[in-house]
Amino acid sequence: MMYSDVVLNLPDWVRGSVEDSAGVFPTVEERMQFVIELSRQNIERKTGGPFGAGVFEADSGRLIAVGVNRVESTNCSIAHAEIMAIALAQKALASYDMGGEPDASYELVTSTEPCVMCLGAVCWSGVRTVVCGARDEDARRIGFDEGPKPQNWVRSLESRGIGVEQDVLREQAAAVLTEYRDRGGLIYNPGG
């Protein structure tokens, strides 16, 4: 049996992308455009799958943390963009509960709707809003298994006080998924 620490890092190029940004994205469309570009860069640079995410202050649009898919490059099935962004945001905020501060409201912006695993992480992360680009069916269409998500997952999150906004720049986000497939990107854990 092997005992060691697990360390998941973002690719080096991400730092440049974040530093090149203004760090503040006033509109939800600007936030989504930024995470879609992260997903695109992740496939162009061959550092992971076609998914990007970010945690932002909901009111100001200030970027807290980003994540890109690192499953294949880290040999770690939980290294999804949303999980990476949530974990890095919690570290940056020094809190496992981003909903713990009454005056702060954080949103997770993700290039594709969360899979079943990421959906679970959202519930306990403390984010107050999830903003999605591509739909679950867009990811499934190219072969990804999104897991046994409940059909009423949006209502389920809303019942927990987590808002959901879907289809923000959906066509652009779905185009990255198609580009990944067309480039011969690995569709890991296919079918369900």
Side-chain angles (χ1 to χ4, degrees), residues 105-125:
S105 179
Y106 298 100
E107 75 182 6
L108 173 67
V109 178
T110 180
S111 63
T112 303
E113 291 178 348
C115 70
V116 68
M117 177 181 66
C118 295
L119 186 60
V122 164
C123 292
W124 293 293
S125 69

Side-chain angles (χ1 to χ4, degrees), residues 65-84:
V66 299
V68 293
N69 180 280
R70 300 286 286 158
V71 171
E72 185 183 356
S73 59
T74 62
N75 291 314
C76 184
S77 64
I78 65 168
H80 287 201
E82 297 93 334
I83 300 286
M84 299 289 288

Side-chain angles (χ1 to χ4, degrees), residues 18 61 87 146:
V18 171
E146 298 298 282

Side-chain angles (χ1 to χ4, degrees), residues 113-186:
E113 291 178 348
C115 70
V116 68
M117 177 181 66
C118 295
L119 186 60
V122 164
C123 292
W124 293 293
S125 69
V127 298
R128 292 290 169 235
T129 309
V130 178
V131 179
C132 310
R135 289 266 182 141
D136 178 275
E137 60 257 29
D138 299 323
R140 289 182 193 272
R141 180 178 36 79
I142 70 162
F144 280 105
D145 178 6
E146 298 298 282
K149 280 174 43 177
Q151 281 190 315
N152 59 355
W153 68 272
V154 171
R155 193 172 27 228
S156 177
L157 287 183
E158 290 172 341
S159 74
R160 292 174 163 269
I162 303 168
V164 177
E165 188 172 346
Q166 296 174 285
D167 300 330
V168 176
L169 304 180
R170 180 181 179 185
E171 287 182 21
Q172 290 178 35
V176 175
L177 297 172
T178 302
E179 179 182 350
Y180 180 74
R181 182 201 59 207
D182 293 349
R183 286 178 172 222
L186 177 67

